[in-house]
Amino acid sequence: MSEIKKIKCRVCGNEIELKKENRYTGIEQNMIGPDCLRDCYDCPVCGCQSVVNNRLKTYEEGGDEE
């Protein structure tokens, strides 16, 4: 079994375990251009949101194309 990856909270310094069940998708709203999807985790100590990665929309065959 692989080791669970961790990141350090930029606010309190606590280590945040990057478990799949704790990940959620946040939306960064932009004034110019499309909104961006982000992978996020919350620090269990201070509650600060940590953004770890960009998330792409899922491609669906035959879906609407822009």
Side-chain angles (χ1 to χ4, degrees):
M1 186 172 217
S2 64
E3 185 178 321
I4 296 174
K5 293 184 181 182
K6 297 178 182 180
I7 60 170
K8 187 176 277 194
C9 177
R10 288 183 255 160
V11 175
C12 71
N14 181 61
E15 288 192 338
I16 303 169
E17 292 184 343
L18 302 181
K19 293 182 179 179
K20 181 179 179 179
E21 59 268 15
N22 295 333
R23 186 200 62 80
Y24 63 93
T25 302
I27 300 173
E28 180 180 345
Q29 296 180 334
N30 294 313
M31 298 297 286
I32 302 170
D35 294 341
C36 296
L37 302 175
R38 309 283 190 195
D39 284 340
C40 304
Y41 292 86
D42 289 340
C43 176
V45 174
C46 71
C48 182
Q49 182 182 63
S50 293
V51 177
V52 295
N53 205 4
N54 295 334
R55 178 160 287 275
L56 302 175
K57 292 182 181 179
T58 303
Y59 173 77
E60 294 182 20
E61 188 75 35
D64 294 336
E65 297 197 20
E66 296 180 31

